[in-house]
């Protein structure tokens, strides 16, 4: 594994290594991107693990209830009413941040890869849904549970796979019916209250008035995300989709903004890296903090230490063409054809007709420089022709006015040829 530290000023040694990375990105044809919370920090969405993150804000509110940041995303949070209340309040705040946030340079980089037909798939651990704001297709619907006929087509239409679900919808804990956020749900969730499921309520009413036995299954709404320790409702789809991507011959994996601590994600990286390496491809890791070299040195080829957006900006500086649209590239190429290529001063002297005139003037320069040495009495006669040294080179014809050109005046100054 080669480590490239771009968090400080880039020296020539680091730049050479970065150029290798840029070349790898440029040449790759089927790139898989894996992202984590680090790519959304610059969008204003706090990383719940960081010291000033959202987690700390909630911890201040409920000081005795949360031990560590990951607890907020762990199924164990549903063990008592107080932590459920804390969870719902936390999610409403996170949804508020996501709603107003804008995609980052890194999100736009992923969109660019899609536009260039270089993106095989993006897998994200993020639940903020910022990719959707750039028109990237995310999410899987209930109909996709059928992994049979037609599944491949639906999977291939997907740009971003949300490994942990999305904050974009609420889901019932009992019937799993999905609901959009509305002002009433937000008000309740912000207070740590759980909204009732309207679908469950209708079923309850139906059984009540038809005299059927009441089952008591009555769910409430929570964000449609997958918590740690919770069975993934679309695990089968994911497994089929990942296998499909592996068989599509990816040649580059870029891991961005994640510290690779989640077991499922570790397995995904190892599985993809194995196939990519077998075909001569590369695995690139971009994050502010390093990974364990003991664990990842045989999996990751390049470890780039810096903010993800900075990485994208440096990549743009290194390979600007990658970031241009086809229209911009065509325009650039056309302009290059129209503009005469710049020439060196030497070649210009050789090819430019004007330079030929300058050379000619250098040759006749003796006539001009000699003049001050000529006796005044000789002026007006033919004194120069009588000089045996000057006769062969002197052109007695009058100089055209255009010799007043500064270039030509310069050319008359040297005196070497006279002396020779
Ligand atoms: Zn329900």
């Amino acid at each position: 594994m080669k480590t490239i530290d771009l968090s400080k000023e880039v020296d020539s040694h680091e730049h050479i290594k970065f150029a290798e990375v840029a070349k790898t990105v440029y040449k790759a044809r089927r790139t898989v991107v894996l992202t984590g919370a680090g790519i959304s920090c610059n969008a204003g969405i706090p990383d719940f693990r960081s010291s000033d993150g959202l987690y700390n804000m909630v911890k201040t509110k409920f000081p005795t209830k949360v031990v560590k940041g990951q607890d907020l995303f762990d199924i164990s949070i549903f063990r008592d009413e107080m932590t459920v209340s804390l969870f719902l309040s936390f999610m409403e705040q996170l949804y508020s941040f996501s709603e107003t946030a804008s995609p980052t340079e890194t999100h736009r980089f992923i969109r660019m890869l899609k536009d260039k037909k270089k993106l095989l798939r993006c897998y994200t651990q993020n639940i903020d849904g910022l990719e959707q704001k750039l028109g990237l297709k995310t999410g899987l619907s209930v109909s996709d549970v059928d992994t049979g006929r037609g599944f491949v087509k639906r999977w291939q239409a997907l740009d971003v796979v949300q490994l942990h679900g999305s904050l974009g919808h609420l889901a019932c804990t009992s019937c799993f019916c999905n609901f959009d956020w509305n002002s009433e749900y937000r008000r309740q969730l912000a207070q740590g209250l759980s909204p009732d499921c309207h679908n469950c309520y209708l079923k309850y009413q139906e059984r009540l008035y038809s005299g059927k036995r009441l089952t008591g299954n009555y769910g409430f709404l929570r964000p449609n995300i997958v918590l740690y320790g919770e069975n993934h409702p679309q695990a089968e789809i994911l497994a089929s989709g990942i296998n499909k991507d592996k068989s599509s011959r990816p040649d580059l994996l870029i891991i961005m903004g994640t510290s690779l601590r989640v077991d499922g994600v570790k397995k995904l990286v190892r599985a993809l890296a194995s196939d990519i390496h077998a075909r001569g491809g590369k695995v690139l890791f971009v994050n502010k903090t390093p990974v364990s070299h003991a664990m990842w040195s045989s999996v990751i080829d390049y470890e780039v230490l810096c903010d993800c957006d900075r990485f994208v900006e440096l990549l743009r500086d290194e390979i600007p063409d990658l970031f241009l649209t086809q229209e911009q590239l065509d325009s650039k190429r056309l302009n290059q054809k129209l503009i005469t290529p710049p020439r060196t001063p030497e070649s210009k002297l050789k090819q430019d007709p004007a330079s030929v005139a300058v050379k000619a003037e250098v040759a006749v320069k003796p006539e001009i420089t000699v003049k001050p040495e000529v006796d005044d009495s000789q002026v007006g006669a033919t004194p120069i022709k009588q000089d045996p040294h000057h006769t062969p080179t002197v052109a007695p014809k009058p100089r055209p006015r255009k010799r007043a050109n500064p270039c030509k005046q310069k050319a008359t100054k040297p005196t070497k040829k006279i002396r020779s």
Side-chain angles (χ1 to χ4, degrees):
M1 184 197 298
K2 286 186 184 177
T3 298
I4 308 164
D5 189 352
L6 302 180
S7 58
K8 302 165 190 170
E9 193 170 337
V10 183
D11 62 24
S12 58
H13 185 62
E14 296 297 278
H15 185 261
I16 289 170
K17 287 191 284 183
F18 181 70
E20 281 179 36
V21 171
K23 187 180 173 186
T24 303
V25 174
Y26 187 74
K27 287 177 70 178
R29 299 175 67 188
R30 289 173 296 277
T31 303
V32 176
V33 183
L34 169 68
T35 62
I39 74 160
S40 291
C41 288
N42 292 339
I45 297 175
D47 179 355
F48 64 89
R49 284 193 178 93
S50 69
S51 57
D52 57 348
L54 197 56
Y55 158 67
N56 268 17
M57 291 163 58
V58 179
K59 191 174 181 181
T60 306
K61 199 172 172 182
F62 301 93
T64 61
K65 283 296 175 185
V66 176
V67 178
K68 54 185 180 179
Q70 191 169 316
D71 288 351
L72 285 164
F73 293 88
D74 195 288
I75 189 66
S76 61
I77 203 148
F78 279 91
R79 282 180 186 161
D80 70 58
E81 283 187 16
M82 176 57 85
T83 51
V84 170
S85 176
L86 185 153
F87 168 78
L88 296 175
S89 169
F90 173 79
M91 287 298 154
E92 199 282 330
Q93 287 189 51
L94 195 54
Y95 178 76
S96 295
F97 277 114
S98 306
E99 198 181 28
T100 54
S102 298
T104 65
E105 281 296 307
T106 307
H107 291 101
R108 278 188 276 276
F109 168 68
I110 296 165
R111 171 73 212 201
M112 178 279 292
L113 290 177
K114 173 189 162 65
D115 293 342
K116 290 291 178 88
K117 302 191 186 323
K118 284 172 169 282
L119 180 70
L120 176 61
R121 205 80 54 216
C122 172
Y123 292 88
T124 185
Q125 300 170 78
N126 298 341
I127 55 175
D128 53 45
L130 289 182
E131 299 86 358
Q132 284 176 298
K133 295 187 178 182
L134 290 174
L136 290 164
K137 189 176 184 308
T138 63
L140 288 163
S141 65
V142 176
S143 61
D144 293 317
V145 172
D146 175 16
T147 55
R149 204 173 177 180
F151 168 74
V152 170
K153 195 175 177 182
R154 290 196 295 277
W155 180 265
Q156 286 177 335
L158 204 58
D159 299 315
V160 180
V161 178
Q162 294 167 310
L163 295 169
H164 298 162
S166 167
L167 270 178
H169 291 93
L170 299 170
C172 173
T173 55
S174 177
C175 69
F176 305 108
C177 199
N178 275 23
F179 295 86
D180 290 332
W181 289 73
N182 64 32
S183 56
E184 176 57 21
Y185 293 154
R186 290 188 68 168
R187 187 188 63 76
Q188 291 184 49
L189 290 165
Q191 293 175 2
L193 303 173
S194 47
D196 290 333
C197 171
H198 187 63
N199 188 48
C200 283
Y201 174 74
L202 290 178
K203 284 183 179 174
Y204 173 83
Q205 292 283 75
E206 188 183 316
R207 295 184 75 87
L208 180 67
Y209 290 108
S210 63
K212 291 182 181 174
R213 184 176 62 87
L214 298 177
T215 60
N217 292 333
Y218 202 106
F220 68 91
L221 306 187
R222 52 164 267 196
N224 191 20
I225 61 172
V226 184
L227 300 172
Y228 298 123
E230 191 172 31
N231 289 329
H232 201 301
Q234 295 170 326
E236 190 184 349
I237 303 172
L238 282 175
S240 300
I242 291 167
N243 283 334
K244 175 62 193 162
D245 284 350
K246 287 173 65 184
S247 66
S248 298
R249 304 171 67 84
D251 52 6
L252 176 65
L253 169 63
I254 309 179
I255 304 159
M256 306 181 86
T258 172
S259 47
L260 295 179
R261 289 179 189 166
V262 180
D263 286 342
V265 173
K266 288 179 188 174
K267 286 179 187 170
L268 175 63
V269 168
R270 289 184 187 282
L272 287 168
S274 173
D275 279 30
I276 288 171
H277 283 153
R279 299 188 185 100
K282 299 290 182 189
V283 177
L284 169 60
F285 174 86
V286 185
N287 199 32
K288 281 184 178 177
T289 53
V291 281
S292 160
H293 283 218
M295 188 180 290
W296 294 104
S297 62
S298 63
V299 178
I300 294 170
D301 299 290
Y302 295 100
E303 177 191 49
V304 182
L305 301 178
C306 70
D307 178 89
C308 291
D309 287 353
R310 174 166 163 76
F311 167 78
V312 173
E313 284 161 11
L314 290 170
L315 205 57
R316 183 185 283 114
D317 291 343
E318 192 69 26
I319 39 174
D321 281 7
L322 181 66
F323 292 81
L324 298 178
T325 63
Q326 191 55 49
E327 192 178 29
Q328 289 170 325
L329 278 173
D330 290 345
S331 175
K332 182 180 172 182
R333 283 168 189 153
L334 185 63
N335 285 337
Q336 283 173 340
K337 281 183 183 175
L338 292 175
I339 297 171
T340 307
R343 295 168 179 154
T344 63
E346 181 61 28
S347 64
K348 192 173 182 181
L349 278 173
K350 285 177 183 172
Q351 298 172 24
D352 189 343
S355 71
V356 175
V358 172
K359 279 192 170 183
E361 189 156 4
V362 171
V364 300
K365 169 181 55 181
E367 178 191 19
I368 300 166
T369 53
V370 163
K371 274 183 182 175
E373 298 170 9
V374 174
D375 190 292
D376 285 346
S377 63
Q378 293 178 318
V379 174
T382 55
I384 297 174
K385 284 183 181 176
Q386 294 168 0
D387 186 334
H389 294 288
H390 292 206
T391 303
T393 56
V394 167
K397 296 182 284 184
R399 293 288 165 202
R401 282 286 179 188
K402 62 182 179 180
R403 282 186 205 151
N405 185 312
C407 294
K408 294 186 176 181
Q409 286 173 349
K410 281 182 184 175
T412 63
K413 287 179 183 174
T415 56
K416 285 182 183 174
K417 287 209 172 183
I418 302 168
R419 288 168 188 152
S420 64

